[in-house]
Amino acid sequence: MTDLELSAAESFNPWSVVNVVFHHLIEKGLHPVLAGNPNQPAADLLRALGIQPGPENSEQGRQDIDQHLADLRAAVVGKRP
């Protein structure tokens, strides 16, 4: 199996895609802003790549993500929303 091949059982959490993309954009000096819930577009991207989206996070996981994104926004724009 090469680095680009995935087994049929592979899955990935869509929020992990959002996290990776958000960090990448910040590293490039951009200022990403979430407008709505990006879970569905991230899940669609995974499907387009042949990867089954994993289950969504629990409510606690969602709160952790919200806090992490708020911290990233604060680091980029210098204030909390």
Side-chain angles (χ1 to χ4, degrees):
M1 181 182 295
T2 68
D3 290 343
L4 297 176
E5 292 177 27
L6 298 171
S7 75
E10 294 277 357
S11 68
F12 200 73
N13 187 313
W15 278 101
S16 295
V17 173
V18 174
N19 190 33
V20 167
V21 170
F22 213 84
H23 278 93
H24 177 75
L25 294 173
I26 289 171
E27 288 172 5
K28 297 297 180 184
L30 300 173
H31 302 87
V33 176
L34 291 177
N37 184 343
N39 189 60
Q40 188 60 49
D44 291 343
L45 174 61
L46 287 172
R47 283 187 201 94
L49 296 171
I51 303 167
Q52 179 63 36
E56 291 187 36
N57 290 324
S58 65
E59 181 58 31
Q60 179 59 48
R62 176 71 190 135
Q63 290 173 359
D64 291 345
I65 290 168
D66 287 344
Q67 182 60 52
H68 183 69
L69 292 174
D71 293 343
L72 287 172
R73 275 190 226 87
V76 171
V77 297
K79 61 181 179 178
R80 288 192 166 278

